[in-house]
Amino acid sequence: MEAFYEAWVGREEQLVADLTSAMALQRHATTDAVAPLVDAAVGHVAAYYEHKSGLADRDVVAALDPRWLNPLERTFLWAWGYKPALLFRFVFLDDGGGVAMGSSVAQRRALEELRAATAAAEREVEREVAAVQESLAGPRVLAALRRQAPRRRNSNGEAAEEEDAVAAVGRSLRERTLRGVVGLLAPDQAAAFVVAMMRFHLGVRRAGRGWSSGSGHGGRRGV
């Protein structure tokens, strides 16, 4: 996973560069110049969670111990990934770090409605994750942690079903929120949004490289 993640971050840097160039040329090009790159950025985010889901299928213990993330990156973890509401930080910024504030009243209203719906869904996810974690906190999981071995399905598939539920709830909301925001934005706005989102992650990645793994800032709730 470490090698995949390093390559994935490199691809993210390239996407930021490509989008930034396309946005700079936007006055002399059609919106078709940025739309495919926005789609690529959304797919790029999905690819990370798809790869991590594959790791969980092979070894759930490794998937729940995100050693490929630095300690600063881990402070942003929520339900096995970033908190979906974080995305709205890159929509509503007024300092040039997010989407330009030329949004229509209808668009702003739709974004606010999506933000409210996301917040409500986050609360539900937190309840679901807590319930699943409680059900997993038994002898079976403790034994698996001691062995540091890949997960095993029992005869009725219950273990796999519970663990897949834990991994799926946060991922589903993250993808739905990301695609929902992009779908409400014009291509140039969507480009500014995904660039701000990816630059934020890359900044956290760079800043966290100097953190000590023993600094006390461990990960929260998974990967």
Side-chain angles (χ1 to χ4, degrees), residues 132 135-136 140 157-167:
V132 173
S135 73
L136 291 175
R140 176 179 56 79
E158 180 182 354
E161 182 177 336
E162 288 176 336
E163 290 156 359
D164 286 343
V166 171

Side-chain angles (χ1 to χ4, degrees), residues 110-170:
L111 287 167
E112 289 287 3
E113 289 173 354
L114 179 59
R115 178 159 65 171
T118 299
E122 284 179 348
R123 291 191 291 271
E124 180 60 28
V125 167
E126 287 171 352
R127 287 192 290 268
E128 292 179 7
V129 169
V132 173
Q133 286 180 325
E134 183 177 354
S135 73
L136 291 175
R140 176 179 56 79
V141 171
L142 293 176
L145 289 172
R146 292 191 190 100
R147 293 193 303 270
Q148 292 288 297
R151 70 179 181 183
R152 298 288 187 269
R153 294 175 183 265
N154 60 20
S155 59
N156 61 10
E158 180 182 354
E161 182 177 336
E162 288 176 336
E163 290 156 359
D164 286 343
V166 171
V169 285

Side-chain angles (χ1 to χ4, degrees), residues 167-187:
V169 285
R171 175 183 173 184
S172 176
L173 180 56
R174 276 185 290 275
E175 291 188 3
R176 186 165 69 246
T177 304
L178 175 58
R179 294 183 185 278
V181 171
V182 169
L184 290 172
L185 301 174

Side-chain angles (χ1 to χ4, degrees), residues 23-110:
M23 291 163 63
L25 296 172
Q26 187 173 336
R27 292 182 180 179
H28 308 288
T30 68
T31 54
D32 290 341
V34 297
L37 290 172
V38 170
D39 290 341
V42 172
H44 177 72
V45 174
Y48 170 75
Y49 289 101
E50 288 171 4
H51 190 86
K52 186 164 62 64
S53 178
L55 173 62
D57 287 339
R58 300 187 301 275
D59 188 345
V60 70
V61 174
L64 296 177
D65 183 17
R67 298 186 180 186
W68 56 90
L69 301 181
N70 64 48
L72 182 55
E73 286 176 298
R74 294 188 187 198
T75 66
F76 288 90
L77 295 179
W78 171 91
W80 287 263
Y82 65 85
K83 196 168 188 178
L86 179 65
L87 293 176
F88 294 95
R89 170 192 179 107
F90 312 116
V91 181
F92 295 102
L93 285 180
D94 290 309
D95 60 0
V99 172
M101 290 295 102
S103 307
S104 67
V105 172
Q107 187 186 56
R108 283 174 175 266
R109 183 182 300 114

